[in-house]
Amino acid sequence: MTTKPIRGLERYYEYRERWKAIISDMEKSPVPNPALLALFRLFLENDEKTIDCAENNKPFLSSWYGNAPEIYAAMGIHYICVVDNLLAHQSFTDDLAGIDANIVPDDMCGLIKLGAYAVEKGLVPTPTGMIAMLEPCDAQSVLHESWINNDAWKDVPYFALDPAYRSGKEDFEYFVGELRRMIAFLENLTGIKLDWNRLREVIEETNKQYEIWDEYNQLRRAVPCPGGSFQGSGIGWAISQHIMAGHPGATDLFRMLLADEESRYKANKGWLEKENSRVLWADLIGTVNAPIGEWLEKEHGTVVVQDFQGYTPYSHIDTSTEESMLLGLAKRNLAEVPMIRQARGNVDVFIEDVIRIVEDYKIDCVFFPGHVGHKDQSASVGFLREACRELGVPLLVLTMDIFDPRYLPMDKFTHIVNEFFETHKLGKFK
Amino acid sequence: MNAQFKSTILQDFRKTAANPVNVSLQEWKKSGRKIIGCMYHYIPEEIITAAGMLPYRMKAVGSKGTELSESCFTQINCGFVRHLFDSGVRGELGFIDGLVSVNNCDHIRRFYENWQKKIKTPYMHFMPFPKKSGREQAEVYRKELADFKNSLEKHFNVQITDTKLKKAIELHNETRRLQRELYELRKKKNPPITGADVHAVMVASSSMPKEKYNTMLTGLLEELYTGEGISDYSERIMVVGGELDDPKFIEVIESQGCLVVADSLGYGYRAIAEDVDTDIEPLTALAEYHVLKRPACPRIFGTTFNRNDFVRHIAEEFKVDGVISVRLPLCDEWSFEQVNLIGYLKKHGIPHLTLDIDYILSSTGQIKTRSQAFLETISGTKHGR
Ligand code: SF4
Ligand code: SF4
């Protein structure tokens, strides 16, 4: 008797095998990169959990960053973000070609197109429940809406967290109310009761993680920068948002990142032998960033010292009471998680962050990728120009899709940057 | 296919819809009264009316370009917002004394801030609007409305009493009632008015004093009741979309021989399907109307099912042969709406065409070609070809 394959798991088996092969190869290497090895092990563990849940009817959620995953973690409910594996495995799949054939308008964010495609094509298992994210962009909300309109997901119970727009006391309190309603939904859905002591433990672990991440960031202020372009951002984001919140393995990984950077910092060594220029990438990093970072370093002796994904001024959450924990989570998820931080609400945070980063990290120029999905940021370009003018730093405004390298091909990108650097005597022209 | 009219009422509505400024606005302004620009449909215009001012739905009809918006926006921003900003910088909307906006979409929320910085209308107010619909959200919005009312009172030194609010709600409800009457006529086998003209009548309501509008619409309805119906059309079509304010796109579709008899548009049926409650406290009634009662646009999460049913229900009631849904390029909110609607209408056997149209229709060739092909398909199916 053959059993019917579970929708979406085929892809996950593929991911699992790929992680295993990569890990095994790395383990055999004479100089394995311990941080990467730890990261891939966390990814593998996460995918194995997803497979286990889907195969054995254990509850698991579809969620997105900024939805207070600390709460699901405290309840022991596993969760996935539909797009994380698609991004991590992008170079091994033909998903980008797949999104072209989809009927979703091509003027949307690549991440959204991938998310729609994944559910449509059954590349993710159908979750037990969904926590929808309605911020920071319009596209997020309608992507989640499209999922509940999909035949495979139409019966998935869902809860949507309504974000407040402002960041005042009342707004956070309103979001606390939303978190409480989410907890009630989850308890009802899974029959699991939230253990507030466990939540305290999870939050305390994440507090530790964000403190280390912050220390790591502080070191990047040094000239020359002791870490590589986009280094902590990619890893930090993945392990703080896509791995079960408060995972001690993630804390260890943050420590490794810090130790590695600290060793160079203490020896007064930069990531590059000669650092010509320091860049702020004023947006998230996507799948285009690794080759961009490498090229900037090699060709121009330039390090992307900070970006919005790595710039994470998380505040410590007071775990003394239920209320203080929820309030802390409301603040963290509404006003600190990257991208939500800069895109939700009015333009001030975006501009203040640019100003602060430029000053604190001794930035020589700002790259604004003009990500096609970030309609709010594109409409903030006037504010950004003015801020950069006042700061006296050159600004490069691009238009790209940070999740689709085809939008602005690398040769065009390098050409634009070369011209920009030559004009402003930066990079190798310094 | 135009029906003949004795009076000039329809012409006046057409003219009003086709221009940002109109005679009624000028008269209003001349008499020293204020005009408040409203960004989109979640603004409770009744509060503005109750303050003795005129709510004006912001539009850039007839805009010639977007050059002056380019320092603040990029090519990935929606054409509506860029044209509107350009008009603002040019001073073409200089007659507004205030601007009130919600965070309707990512383009609009930044539009507001850019406007605040560059154009500096004397009174400006921003209200966050919830992204989902529920009791708690209606309560939150009610607080916003109270703040809005207070700020209007303070800035313009006026008093907005509950009595005035109730009266304003009744006035706006009357507008909606008359507009529904107009829509009823479209159900006829031979409707007495084209879809483009109905759209002009609807758009005009957003830039005129309501009393005058209601009088004119009453007059028009009288004519329509006795007028001749339009019979020389092929298919009955419904259009679905957002805040499209230019009747021209319907005119282009109808130029292919069909008649647009129904819609689910921001200026159309979605705006009039429900009334604001008059039996409860006015601000609560207004908040509930916008958050819970009126048919939502895709801006509000979790509303597709109701909206799709709404479309089907209207399609059946108005006996339409096909649905054309339109979206402005770069509008994320209406992106998946098209996708969701495709599946839904297919399931219910309703022919459907999706179109991306520019805010200012400079070239109409593509719309014509695609509409024509669509109409031919419907006609082929109807006649068993
Ligand atoms: S990357 Fe930006 S545009 Fe894309 S989903 Fe995230 S917030 Fe939205
Ligand atoms: S058409 Fe869409 S993007 Fe443009 S203003 Fe309206 S909701 Fe926003």
Side-chain angles (χ1 to χ4, degrees):
Chain A
M1 195 181 81
T2 52
T3 44
K4 213 172 143 223
I6 298 169
R7 189 178 202 262
L9 274 194
E10 209 175 302
R11 247 313 165 87
Y12 272 67
Y13 295 143
E14 203 181 299
Y15 298 146
R16 179 175 64 186
E17 293 321 305
R18 189 170 298 123
W19 290 133
K20 279 186 183 167
I22 294 173
I23 291 167
S24 146
D25 282 355
M26 284 179 87
E27 282 168 342
K28 280 182 220 140
S29 144
V31 271
N33 179 328
L36 274 186
L37 197 51
L39 177 70
F40 294 151
R41 284 188 183 133
L42 284 174
F43 284 162
L44 173 63
E45 183 190 315
N46 212 48
D47 287 347
E48 279 176 336
K49 266 197 209 148
T50 308
I51 293 170
D52 177 44
C53 289
E55 281 180 343
N56 300 302
N57 273 327
K58 295 180 187 167
F60 73 104
L61 303 171
S62 155
S63 182
W64 208 274
Y65 39 82
N67 283 351
E70 294 84 350
I71 291 173
Y72 335 138
M75 294 174 83
I77 308 172
H78 180 63
Y79 55 92
I80 57 167
C81 171
V82 164
V83 290
D84 59 357
N85 266 317
L86 264 74
L87 297 179
H89 297 263
Q90 198 176 73
S91 52
F92 301 99
T93 68
D94 56 2
D95 292 341
L96 281 178
I99 60 174
D100 293 344
N102 222 4
I103 47 176
V104 179
D106 62 5
D107 51 32
M108 299 189 83
C109 164
L111 196 62
I112 295 295
K113 287 189 262 183
L114 280 166
Y117 170 76
V119 171
E120 179 68 35
K121 294 285 165 204
L123 306 180
V124 279
T126 307
T128 319
M130 176 174 92
I131 303 298
M133 185 215 205
L134 310 186
E135 60 181 347
C137 67
D138 301 332
Q140 278 291 349
S141 174
V142 293
L143 171 68
H144 284 87
E145 184 99 32
S146 83
W147 289 343
I148 57 176
N149 275 273
N150 183 282
D151 279 344
W153 281 39
K154 70 177 188 319
D155 297 323
V156 174
Y158 62 85
F159 181 85
L161 283 157
D162 180 39
Y165 192 72
R166 302 189 185 105
S167 298
K169 192 169 165 275
E170 275 181 18
D171 304 295
F172 293 131
E173 279 166 1
Y174 168 70
F175 200 64
V176 166
E178 285 293 276
L179 292 179
R180 283 196 184 279
R181 288 183 275 279
M182 179 180 88
I183 294 168
F185 165 82
L186 290 174
E187 290 183 338
N188 193 29
L189 177 76
T190 61
I192 303 168
K193 259 206 109 35
L194 171 65
D195 172 349
W196 292 89
N197 283 325
R198 178 68 195 125
L199 181 61
R200 179 166 297 115
E201 286 166 12
V202 170
I203 293 177
E204 277 167 3
E205 194 66 28
T206 58
N207 274 345
K208 252 188 259 166
Q209 293 171 357
Y210 293 131
E211 269 163 33
I212 304 169
W213 197 351
D214 187 45
E215 265 183 71
Y216 166 90
N217 273 339
Q218 297 300 328
L219 296 182
R220 295 179 73 84
R221 294 180 178 205
V223 182
C225 181
S229 299
F230 305 117
Q231 204 182 43
S233 323
I235 297 180
W237 170 266
I239 60 177
S240 60
Q241 298 299 330
H242 298 308
I243 301 296
M244 186 67 99
H247 193 305
T251 321
D252 291 341
L253 187 39
F254 273 118
R255 282 199 191 98
M256 280 185 215
L257 271 180
L258 176 63
D260 172 63
E261 204 177 51
E262 207 168 31
S263 64
R264 272 186 299 278
Y265 175 78
K266 283 189 175 151
N268 208 12
K269 273 174 75 177
W271 175 256
L272 299 178
E273 285 215 345
K274 186 172 175 284
E275 181 182 275
N276 294 328
S277 303
R278 299 161 68 84
V279 171
L280 160 63
W281 179 269
D283 208 326
L284 288 183
I285 66 169
T287 42
V288 299
N289 291 70
I292 286 178
E294 268 170 43
W295 177 79
L296 283 169
E297 288 174 1
K298 274 204 193 108
E299 181 70 18
H300 285 287
T302 290
V303 181
V304 181
V305 177
Q306 197 51 280
D307 55 72
F308 284 170
Q309 191 163 308
Y311 187 63
T312 47
Y314 288 94
S315 31
H316 183 90
I317 294 184
D318 169 9
T319 55
S320 55
T321 65
E322 287 181 11
E323 201 54 33
S324 73
M325 286 194 275
L326 290 183
L327 194 61
L329 286 177
K331 281 187 187 157
R332 178 183 280 178
N333 289 282
L334 274 183
E336 294 173 348
V337 171
M339 184 163 81
I340 295 178
R341 173 179 171 78
Q342 288 96 8
R344 180 193 66 99
N346 62 26
V347 70
D348 297 358
V349 179
F350 170 74
I351 297 301
E352 280 161 16
D353 278 359
V354 168
I355 295 172
R356 204 172 307 122
I357 295 170
V358 166
E359 286 172 347
D360 291 350
Y361 289 81
K362 299 166 198 74
I363 295 294
D364 299 308
C365 64
V366 176
F367 282 15
F368 176 67
H371 171 49
V372 68
H374 290 157
K375 272 81 181 189
D376 64 310
Q377 294 194 359
S378 285
S380 307
V381 77
F383 294 91
L384 181 62
R385 280 202 189 98
E386 189 180 295
C388 288
R389 219 173 15 248
E390 279 169 14
L391 286 162
V393 289
L395 167 70
L396 175 63
V397 177
L398 300 154
T399 308
M400 56 165 56
D401 185 333
I402 55 173
F403 300 102
D404 187 344
R406 301 167 306 171
Y407 197 100
L408 178 65
M410 195 62 186
D411 57 335
K412 281 212 179 115
F413 173 84
T414 54
H415 178 76
I416 297 170
V417 174
N418 282 337
E419 279 192 348
F420 173 77
F421 275 2
E422 192 166 8
T423 309
H424 295 283
K425 303 281 168 283
L426 290 164
K428 70 180 179 190
F429 303 104
K430 199 166 174 180
Chain B
M1 92 176 31
N2 276 346
Q4 298 302 310
F5 295 96
K6 283 189 230 92
S7 78
T8 60
I9 301 175
L10 188 60
Q11 254 168 286
D12 293 343
F13 278 140
R14 282 188 199 136
K15 236 190 271 163
T16 302
N19 296 290
V21 197
N22 60 69
V23 183
S24 314
L25 274 189
Q26 283 161 339
E27 282 168 2
W28 183 274
K29 198 75 190 163
K30 239 188 246 158
S31 67
R33 287 173 292 177
K34 306 286 184 205
I35 299 174
I36 304 292
C38 302
M39 282 306 286
Y40 266 32
H41 51 259
Y42 292 116
I43 308 295
E45 297 183 353
E46 291 84 347
I47 300 181
I48 300 168
T49 301
M53 302 176 210
L54 192 145
Y56 171 84
R57 192 96 66 90
M58 298 287 276
K59 47 183 83 69
V61 279
S63 161
K64 298 278 177 304
T66 58
E67 293 85 348
L68 298 186
S69 68
E70 263 144 38
S71 63
C72 298
F73 298 89
T74 77
Q75 292 306 314
I76 68 159
N77 289 120
C78 152
F80 166 64
V81 158
R82 285 189 288 134
H83 278 285
L84 192 58
F85 196 75
D86 184 277
S87 303
V89 178
R90 283 179 204 281
E92 281 160 16
L93 296 158
F95 54 84
I96 58 167
D97 301 284
L99 178 69
V100 54
S101 182
V102 297
N103 52 332
N104 189 81
C105 69
D106 292 336
H107 311 254
I108 286 185
R109 57 201 181 96
R110 290 290 176 265
F111 167 89
Y112 177 84
E113 290 174 288
N114 278 303
W115 188 284
Q116 197 169 31
K117 194 169 165 67
K118 286 255 156 125
I119 301 175
K120 301 188 176 89
T121 297
Y123 168 79
M124 294 201 59
H125 190 84
F126 186 84
M127 296 187 287
F129 189 78
K131 292 197 157 187
K132 69 177 186 188
S133 151
R135 284 262 145 230
E136 295 84 6
Q137 286 67 46
E139 264 169 47
V140 171
Y141 197 51
R142 178 175 180 313
K143 281 190 202 142
E144 289 296 337
L145 298 192
D147 287 349
F148 173 45
K149 175 180 140 329
N150 292 341
S151 100
L152 268 183
E153 289 180 323
K154 203 167 152 211
H155 184 94
F156 292 101
N157 196 21
V158 290
Q159 249 212 322
I160 307 173
T161 60
D162 273 9
T163 317
K164 284 183 187 172
L165 270 174
K166 279 206 164 170
K167 240 180 105 191
I169 290 173
E170 278 160 13
L171 179 67
H172 284 246
N173 278 349
E174 175 62 4
T175 304
R176 285 184 273 262
R177 190 192 64 72
L178 290 167
Q179 289 172 329
R180 282 196 297 270
E181 242 185 79
L182 175 67
Y183 271 64
E184 277 301 306
L185 293 173
R186 306 173 82 186
K187 290 183 182 166
K188 289 186 171 183
K189 187 162 179 268
N190 298 328
I193 183 164
T194 65
D197 280 341
V198 169
H199 198 57
V201 174
M202 298 301 286
V203 172
S205 78
S206 68
S207 46
M208 286 179 72
K210 285 284 178 290
E211 292 89 349
K212 183 170 178 187
Y213 178 84
N214 289 354
T215 311
M216 281 173 68
L217 183 50
T218 307
L220 179 68
L221 283 168
E222 272 165 26
E223 275 196 65
L224 292 175
Y225 278 122
T226 52
E228 233 178 85
I230 301 166
S231 55
D232 59 338
Y233 66 88
S234 54
E235 276 68 40
R236 295 170 70 86
I237 295 298
M238 170 175 186
V239 289
V240 175
E243 296 296 282
L244 299 146
D245 57 25
D246 186 354
K248 196 170 159 196
F249 84 95
I250 298 186
E251 206 178 287
V252 176
I253 293 170
E254 289 184 324
S255 72
Q256 300 311 298
C258 65
L259 189 68
V260 171
V261 295
D263 69 66
S264 168
L265 292 171
Y267 278 94
Y269 208 64
R270 283 205 308 279
I272 59 170
E274 297 290 336
D275 281 336
V276 179
D277 227 319
T278 47
D279 314 326
I280 55 174
E281 189 271 331
L283 289 184
T284 307
L286 286 167
E288 288 184 357
Y289 170 75
H290 285 288
V291 178
L292 300 170
K293 213 173 162 195
R294 60 169 294 175
C297 73
R299 158 75 171 64
I300 313 289
F301 178 77
T303 54
T304 320
F305 305 116
N306 285 344
R307 201 167 35 258
N308 285 349
D309 287 346
F310 180 74
V311 168
R312 180 162 63 101
H313 175 72
I314 294 175
E316 282 167 5
E317 240 190 298
F318 288 75
K319 297 191 177 55
V320 310
D321 299 305
V323 171
I324 298 182
S325 62
V326 290
R327 164 194 181 252
L328 296 191
L330 298 155
C331 174
D332 286 345
E333 284 185 359
W334 281 87
S335 55
F336 281 104
E337 190 66 8
Q338 306 256 30
V339 178
N340 299 335
L341 203 56
I342 290 172
Y344 179 87
L345 292 179
K346 198 170 168 195
K347 237 179 244 169
H348 290 90
I350 301 172
H352 177 208
L353 169 72
T354 62
L355 288 176
D356 265 19
I357 61 168
D358 289 329
Y359 174 67
I360 297 292
L361 284 185
S362 40
S363 81
T364 55
Q366 245 236 336
I367 306 179
K368 282 185 184 160
T369 319
R370 296 202 52 213
S371 311
Q372 195 182 31
F374 177 59
L375 295 174
E376 277 167 16
T377 320
I378 302 177
S379 151
T381 318
K382 266 204 319 199
H383 299 109
R385 271 177 265 141

